[in-house]
Amino acid sequence: MPADSLVPRPAELSTGAYDGLALTPSTRIDADSAARGAEVWLRAELGAATGLPLPRGDGQSAQLRLSVDPAAGLGAEGYRLIVDAEGALIVGHDPAGVFYGAQTLRQLLPPTAYRRAPAAGPGQWRLPSVRITDRPRFGWRGCMLDVARHFMPKHDVLRFIDLLALHKLNVLHLHLSDDQGWRVEIERYPRLTEVGAWREESQVGAGLPPAFDGRPHGGYYTRDDIREIVAYAAQRHITVVPEIDIPGHSQAAIAAYPELGEGEPVGVGRQWGIIDNVLNVTDATLEFYRNVFDEILELFPSRYVCVGGDECPKKQWRVSDTAQRRIREEGLADEDELQSWFVRHFDAYLTERGRRLLGWDEILEGGLAPGATVMSWRGTEGGVAAARAGHDVVMCPTDTSYLDYRQSDGADEPIPVGTVLTTADVYAAEPVPAELSEQEARHVLGAQVNVWTEHMDSPRAVDYMVFPRLSAFAEAVWSAGPRDYAEFLPRLEGHLLRLEALGVEYRPLSGPRPWQRRPGVAGRPRS
Ligand code: ACM
């Protein structure tokens, strides 16, 4: 593959005068101990695609050499990749940097390097002579995947992690609970998955009156599934950030344990949207969730733990004796402050345990908890306010980051919702709000795209909505410097061949394939 189809674009790239390096049955890889993870990964991936054994070589006898050198001045997660007459050398600032160098090295090969078994004859594995120096612009390069609305089987989550790693993203935010499903086994409260992990049927589309499919939907990850997902991601330098959404978006938990709720017993949600049933604010409910988070912290080493906090209607609290008593006893002004009090409780809980609370920007309402990091989704205002107040933020405003939004204004987009968000729009979006000063902008940890799955009922549908917009996002969050879509487009076209070799059912740039449409299923587009 020519070096000019790399995605995301490296910071510095020059092509060399040498022939490049042919990978052959005698090619050996060597790595110092800190770079071993990338070596194992490279051997497994390239070995499968090429059929080459790529055995361990030692020192100078190896043609591919991987090492970590924090003194090389490459910066966090940075690397240098040189292919010359000596062979290929990857030096990373840290193990993540070596891994990203290895990812780039794979992109220098033909797209068949992304297959799981050799599909081409021998003799065509040649790395071009290059010199690349590269490092990411942001430390938080994320994707939120909603596995609550539609469950994604573990196998597909692992595949998704590989696709994030290919794009040099480093955060997988897993939305594990919502009104319509609870997706992680909690030993102490088995009904969360026995009852909460499935619903009788699902709303189809967003039309009115709502239509339902009459078909049960469910699934959950066991504790060992989670351990496997977290470890698999860690090998690829991806942190899995768990989200348990409280105090709204909690109907699946309330269906399992009605004592958590404010009203009559309810079933697991079947309909999309914002639901009035929310958690009550009793001591018992706080204790229940502390116990849930105890298990979540044991499973997820992530420093950041997301407690949601979005879209919590206050209707039930306004007429609830417990909620009103709590407001009086705690000297709170109103229900917004009650939500803030609830979130602060878990902020203190997480801080005591050396973790950081992450929440959607509604956690600003009623006062931000002292340790909170804010995900700015309802535009950039929340992010600006939080950064100005000295809090860290992750930018993911709907109009540039919501991959459930329709990809064009064409009539054949499946279940069109939201505003139009094209690949070019995602590419052009600037993660740091223009109104922040340089000092304030330091609080922008980075950005993420959000994949809400109400209208993605299978991994195939997720592929369609996520790719290639995620490829464009990867460059916006990795590469510094100007972005020009006309320059990106030919590289993206080259990159799509990699996705094809991997079997990713992306949206073709010209529009959906016939089977990617959903004729007759209404969406709810906005202009
Ligand atoms: C959200 O989209 N409710 C965070």
Side-chain angles (χ1 to χ4, degrees):
M1 201 77 184
D4 56 10
S5 78
L6 298 175
V7 173
R9 184 188 60 217
E12 291 170 34
L13 161 72
S14 56
T15 47
Y18 304 95
D19 283 349
L21 176 70
L23 303 184
T24 70
S26 56
T27 303
R28 292 172 179 272
I29 314 184
D30 183 38
D32 64 22
S33 62
R36 270 292 126 81
E39 177 199 351
V40 169
W41 176 84
L42 200 56
R43 179 175 298 114
E45 299 292 335
L46 288 191
T50 62
L52 298 171
L54 302 170
R56 156 90 35 95
D58 48 16
Q60 298 307 314
S61 81
Q63 292 79 19
L64 296 177
R65 280 171 290 129
L66 278 50
S67 64
V68 170
D69 182 2
L74 294 162
E77 303 180 272
Y79 66 91
R80 178 170 301 123
L81 165 59
I82 299 171
V83 182
D84 61 16
E86 309 277 303
L89 175 68
I90 297 172
V91 178
H93 173 83
D94 42 29
V98 182
F99 180 70
Y100 296 132
Q103 286 282 2
T104 298
L105 182 145
R106 191 184 190 186
Q107 288 202 8
L108 293 171
L109 292 167
T112 40
Y114 288 86
R115 293 190 181 271
R116 294 271 178 105
Q124 47 184 301
W125 305 106
R126 179 173 291 279
L127 290 166
S129 175
V130 288
R131 184 185 176 90
I132 293 171
T133 309
D134 198 12
R135 60 176 292 189
R137 180 176 171 203
F138 293 105
W140 187 294
R141 306 180 300 279
C143 178
M144 186 225 65
L145 183 63
D146 169 12
V147 293
R149 269 48 175 274
H150 280 101
F151 179 65
M152 183 179 276
K154 184 198 73 180
H155 164 87
D156 298 287
V157 174
L158 299 178
R159 170 183 178 271
F160 197 75
I161 286 169
D162 275 322
L163 292 169
L164 298 184
L166 158 66
H167 290 92
K168 300 188 172 79
L169 301 187
N170 66 351
V171 175
L172 172 61
H173 166 178
L174 273 187
H175 183 75
L176 289 164
S177 73
D178 213 299
D179 299 312
Q180 298 85 6
W182 182 285
R183 305 287 174 222
V184 53
E185 178 189 18
I186 300 295
E187 259 185 348
R188 187 168 176 141
Y189 301 118
R191 284 173 60 83
L192 284 172
T193 43
E194 284 165 14
V195 173
W198 71 281
R199 56 180 180 263
E200 287 173 359
E201 60 179 353
S202 308
Q203 186 181 355
V204 181
L208 288 173
F212 294 89
D213 64 2
R215 180 183 183 189
H217 177 85
Y220 68 93
Y221 309 109
T222 66
R223 290 158 62 83
D224 276 348
D225 289 341
I226 294 289
R227 290 185 182 105
E228 181 186 356
I229 288 169
V230 166
Y232 190 85
Q235 287 168 350
R236 287 151 185 78
H237 299 278
I238 291 174
T239 301
V240 183
V241 174
E243 178 179 356
I244 298 293
D245 205 343
I246 52 174
H249 284 292
S250 298
Q251 187 167 317
I254 297 168
Y257 293 95
E259 61 272 26
L260 298 172
E262 280 285 7
E264 298 293 309
V266 289
V268 177
R270 303 171 306 131
Q271 192 169 337
W272 316 127
I274 301 173
I275 293 178
D276 284 336
N277 295 311
V278 300
L279 297 179
N280 63 38
V281 293
T282 62
D283 289 339
T285 293
L286 293 175
E287 187 189 349
F288 181 100
Y289 274 92
R290 283 196 306 272
N291 292 334
V292 166
F293 279 113
D294 282 349
E295 292 193 31
I296 293 291
L297 298 195
E298 192 192 316
L299 291 170
F300 295 90
S302 167
R303 179 158 186 255
Y304 293 91
V305 173
C306 185
V307 303
D310 58 322
E311 298 176 328
C312 176
K314 306 296 182 318
K315 197 169 153 189
Q316 290 187 330
W317 287 353
R318 273 188 212 110
V319 295
S320 150
D321 290 343
T322 347
Q324 294 305 317
R325 191 172 340 113
R326 190 69 89 176
I327 287 175
R328 276 196 308 279
E329 284 173 6
E330 299 290 336
L332 305 171
D334 55 18
E335 291 74 21
D336 280 345
E337 285 200 5
L338 182 60
Q339 161 149 345
S340 169
W341 171 86
F342 194 99
V343 170
R344 275 168 200 264
H345 180 86
F346 288 96
D347 181 50
Y349 163 93
L350 288 169
T351 302
E352 274 164 28
R353 287 158 184 78
R355 309 291 184 105
R356 300 301 298 257
L357 178 138
L358 183 68
W360 301 106
D361 59 39
E362 286 92 333
I363 66 171
L364 280 149
E365 290 160 14
L368 202 48
T373 296
V374 173
M375 285 177 297
S376 187
W377 74 278
R378 296 174 303 173
T380 55
E381 294 81 357
V384 169
R388 287 194 170 145
H391 288 254
D392 286 345
V393 301
V394 175
M395 299 306 298
C396 51
T398 50
D399 63 352
T400 58
S401 320
Y402 268 44
L403 300 190
D404 53 330
Y405 283 19
R406 60 204 165 112
Q407 305 197 57
S408 79
D409 60 5
D412 51 6
E413 290 300 338
I415 320 182
V417 299
T419 50
V420 172
L421 178 57
T422 65
T423 300
D425 296 332
V426 173
Y427 188 72
E430 167 50 39
V432 178
E435 56 268 58
L436 291 183
S437 69
E438 218 177 299
Q439 178 78 14
E440 292 160 349
R442 291 207 191 103
H443 287 293
V444 178
L445 301 179
Q448 64 180 41
V449 282
N450 294 332
V451 184
W452 298 106
T453 59
E454 288 94 330
H455 309 298
M456 297 172 219
D457 62 0
S458 72
R460 296 184 79 177
V462 171
D463 269 12
Y464 177 83
M465 295 305 283
V466 170
F467 300 100
R469 291 188 290 185
L470 184 124
S471 311
F473 169 72
E475 185 150 312
V477 84
W478 174 279
S479 310
R483 269 171 273 132
D484 171 5
Y485 191 67
E487 181 275 325
F488 175 62
L489 198 52
R491 280 189 290 119
L492 178 61
E493 280 164 356
H495 187 66
L496 293 180
L497 302 178
R498 299 183 186 113
L499 298 185
E500 248 157 61
L502 285 162
V504 176
E505 296 190 78
Y506 62 85
R507 177 190 184 275
L509 296 172
S510 55
R513 297 189 159 97
W515 61 90
Q516 292 173 320
R517 301 178 193 149
R518 292 294 300 273
V521 180
R524 198 176 298 166
R526 289 200 312 271
S527 52

